Each structure stands twice: as C-alpha cells, then as structure tokens.
Amino acid sequence: MSLNIGKMRSPMVQLRHIVKKHFSVSSKVSTKASELFSDEQRRQRENVGRIEKIEVRYLGLPNDTTLVMNRELSTPYDCARHIGEKYCRQSALALLDNKTPWDMRRPLRDSCTLQLLNFTSPEPHLANKVFWRSCSFLLGAVLQASFKPEAGLYLHSFPKPNIKSGSFVHDIVLSQEHWNPTVPELRALSIEMIKLSQRDLPIERLDVSSELAAEMFTDNPFKREQIPSVAAGNNGQVTVYRVGEHLDISKGPMMGSTGLLGRCTISAAHPIKDANENENYFYRMQGVALPSALRIGHFAYNVLENRSRKLNSAKLPNEPFEDAAAEQVA
C-alpha cells in the first residue's frame, strides 16, 4: 500500500520520501485548481469597482472602537491588524452583529459590529466547531499530499463537526481494499498535520459558480457529483476553501490560519464497507486535536486519543448526498 513504511528506519524519513515522491506527481492538478482559485479571487476584487467605506464597530479588548474599512475588500483579519498583532494570531473567527459567524479572511459586505472569537473565550462553542471543521479540511490536504498515485485516492467529504463525537473526520476513497494503516503510518500523518500548522498558512474562502467549481474539481468524480446539490442550496454558488494549493468544498466558516492548530493525532481509519462500489473502497479517517492556545496533560490527552478511535457516527458517504448536503457543507 502507498503508505507502507515497514522498510524505513523512521516515520519521518519515510514521510519525507512519500511527500517528495507524490507531490511531484500530484502538483499539476492542485496547481491548476489553485490557479483557477487565484484568478477568480483576482476577478472578484477587480469587480468591486469604486471603493465604498463602511463603519465596523469593534466590541472587545483592549477597548471598543470604530474602524472605517473598505466594503467588499476589508476583512476581520484587516480589522484585527488595526487593533493589535496578537488579535491576528489568536482570533479563530469573527462574529458580526452578535449573530453571524464570519471567516477572518472573508471580505465584509456592510457596516456591522465585530467581535473576534478565540479558543479561550468564555463561550467557545462557535470557535470549537470552526476548529473541528478546519481540522477535517486540513486532514484532507495532508492525505492528498501523502498518498502515492497507485493508491487511487479521492477525497469524498467531511460531515458537520460534532465536538461530542470525540473526533474530526474526513471520508476518502481508495482503489485498494483491506487497507489497515499501521501505528507508524498514522503517526506519520499526524506529523504532517503538525508541519502544516508550523507553516502558519492562511485559510482562504471563495464563493464561485458551479461551473467553475466543476472545473476546479475536474479530476474528482465525487466532488463533481456533489456540486449540483451544493449549488442548489446556496443560490447557485459553491463555497471553496484553499490552504496552500489544496482546495475543498465546505460551507464554513473555517479558522483563519493553520497556525491555530496545536497538538494533533490522526488516530484511526475505518473501512465503510456499505459504501464500496465499482472497486472504490471507502474509509473514514479520524483524528483529534487541540488549538495551539490550549495545553493539557499527557494522561488527559491519551484519553482523548483513545476516544477518537471509535467509529464516528456522523452521516456516512453512502447516504444520499441530497439529504446530507446541508450537513456535509455546514
């Protein structure tokens, strides 16, 4: 199997080998999709036309203040830069008008009140859901970069985050049956998650037409099949996220950068036999993680790791996508 590391001296040595060998093969696809993302991002910015000003009333530490920003261009991250550098580093997402969760790097449309939420807030529920969803997204990026071509990997989807489940999830498809990753293989994937965190890459959001989304995911038949249902429930638009050159579909919101990911373990790969068809074999990849701002002891984290290995009961990929669309792209 593509992640067989039995002959290597250490997971780190093999992981470098895997990524180096695989990336040169897969980079053409991811680069093309990322270029389409950049082109559309540029086009949307240019279409803003005459710059209009909006008032953003920031509510929070160190003190409430009113900022004058650019409509459809300025983001909560830009607002945080005016308030203080630590708010750029620590904020997971924004809350507009005390009700609407908003990506840190998503342009603001109108005047509003703004709160910046982090993982140590007294009410961390929204931030935690965003963190779990972002972990699923980042796991997809790591899996896409780590498997060799002969594995026949396709990213399928990831369900709505449920903190109580004990794990974040990404469902994948492989061309080979009976894959059972070893402990060193899972550890190698965990290391790649940490390396992605250390790069502190921005996580970007873009709403695109269904036609452009289909072009972005032209080499993934499962994504292409999902796009019409996603667009139908989102005014004809598909929300796409990017980290590095990796793209995926999610309604969001996501956290603003990979640097907010702290301790992380990819803990299990469960076969989903009921979903298998036409030599496509489904697996549910699971993991557990903590935000970089949080620290817990080894014993407590061990408990979380063990819990995360249980099969997550979220909707499975073999269930009709039309019924799961709102959840999968939440």
Side-chain angles (χ1 to χ4, degrees):
M1 188 58 180
S2 62
L3 286 178
N4 181 12
I5 62 176
K7 297 181 180 180
M8 304 304 294
R9 292 184 178 178
S10 73
M12 179 62 77
V13 173
Q14 172 64 6
L15 195 56
R16 288 173 180 165
H17 170 72
I18 292 169
V19 173
K20 181 179 179 182
K21 182 174 181 180
H22 179 69
F23 186 78
S24 63
V25 176
S26 65
S27 61
K28 291 183 180 179
V29 174
S30 58
T31 298
K32 178 184 176 183
S34 183
E35 287 174 353
L36 290 171
F37 187 102
S38 294
D39 290 344
E40 177 63 12
Q41 189 178 59
R42 189 179 307 111
R43 186 193 69 80
Q44 290 186 16
R45 287 172 178 167
E46 291 172 352
N47 282 352
V48 171
R50 185 173 64 89
I51 297 176
E52 299 180 16
K53 297 298 181 180
I54 57 173
E55 286 191 357
V56 178
R57 179 64 177 167
Y58 169 70
L59 306 176
L61 297 173
N63 50 264
D64 298 352
T65 187
T66 298
L67 303 170
V68 178
M69 308 301 289
N70 297 325
R71 183 180 183 181
E72 298 286 2
L73 292 173
S74 299
T75 66
Y77 186 84
D78 295 322
C79 296
R81 293 175 64 185
H82 288 282
I83 298 163
E85 182 63 31
K86 77 172 185 177
Y87 297 95
C88 297
R89 296 194 309 268
Q90 297 175 357
S91 300
L93 78 158
L95 187 66
L96 306 188
D97 295 327
N98 204 36
K99 62 181 181 181
T100 305
W102 202 261
D103 294 86
M104 287 295 293
R105 299 178 189 273
R106 182 181 180 185
L108 298 164
R109 296 172 179 167
D110 296 294
S111 296
C112 59
T113 63
L114 169 70
Q115 295 165 264
L116 300 176
L117 307 183
N118 59 50
F119 300 114
T120 58
S121 301
E123 295 293 335
H125 176 69
L126 284 175
N128 286 343
K129 287 187 69 174
V130 164
F131 179 73
W132 226 233
R133 180 185 294 113
S134 302
C135 287
S136 291
F137 171 59
L138 297 179
L139 175 55
V142 164
L143 293 168
Q144 191 76 69
S146 297
F147 277 87
K148 296 179 183 178
E150 55 265 30
L153 170 72
Y154 290 109
L155 301 182
H156 187 278
S157 58
F158 47 93
K160 182 178 179 179
N162 179 4
I163 312 302
K164 293 181 180 178
S165 70
S167 60
F168 59 84
V169 171
H170 206 120
D171 294 328
I172 65 171
V173 180
L174 297 175
S175 63
Q176 299 184 33
E177 195 176 7
H178 307 305
W179 178 52
N180 186 22
T182 64
V183 171
E185 286 172 347
L186 292 174
R187 186 182 302 124
L189 292 173
S190 303
I191 291 171
E192 280 301 290
M193 290 285 284
I194 298 302
K195 289 169 66 177
L196 189 56
S197 169
Q198 292 171 343
R199 293 174 66 188
D200 196 19
L201 297 174
I203 298 176
E204 304 170 278
R205 171 187 174 126
L206 194 65
D207 295 320
V208 305
S209 68
S210 58
E211 294 79 11
L212 180 56
E215 189 176 356
M216 288 175 170
F217 297 98
T218 185
D219 292 312
N220 188 323
F222 301 98
K223 298 293 182 187
R224 287 176 61 86
E225 182 181 353
Q226 295 162 10
I227 284 169
S229 295
V230 173
N234 192 34
N235 298 316
Q237 297 283 293
V238 177
T239 302
V240 178
Y241 281 85
R242 177 173 70 175
V243 61
E245 292 189 335
H246 174 72
L247 273 62
D248 209 340
I249 299 170
S250 173
K251 193 173 182 179
M254 300 273 187
M255 61 188 186
S257 78
T258 64
L260 292 168
L261 173 67
R263 194 169 182 177
C264 180
T265 302
I266 307 307
S267 55
H270 294 284
I272 309 173
K273 295 181 180 179
D274 291 343
N276 296 342
E277 59 180 17
N278 301 325
E279 298 186 353
N280 290 318
Y281 302 99
F282 285 75
Y283 296 85
R284 171 154 287 183
M285 304 296 300
Q286 297 180 191
V288 66
L290 295 174
S292 56
L294 299 183
R295 301 284 190 275
I296 64 173
H298 178 73
F299 177 80
Y301 189 75
N302 237 7
V303 172
L304 295 179
E305 282 184 316
N306 290 333
R307 185 185 176 199
S308 73
R309 294 186 177 99
K310 288 182 59 178
L311 176 62
N312 191 300
S313 62
K315 283 191 177 183
L316 297 172
N318 57 303
E319 296 175 338
F321 187 78
E322 288 75 15
D323 295 341
E327 179 169 336
Q328 187 270 333
V329 196

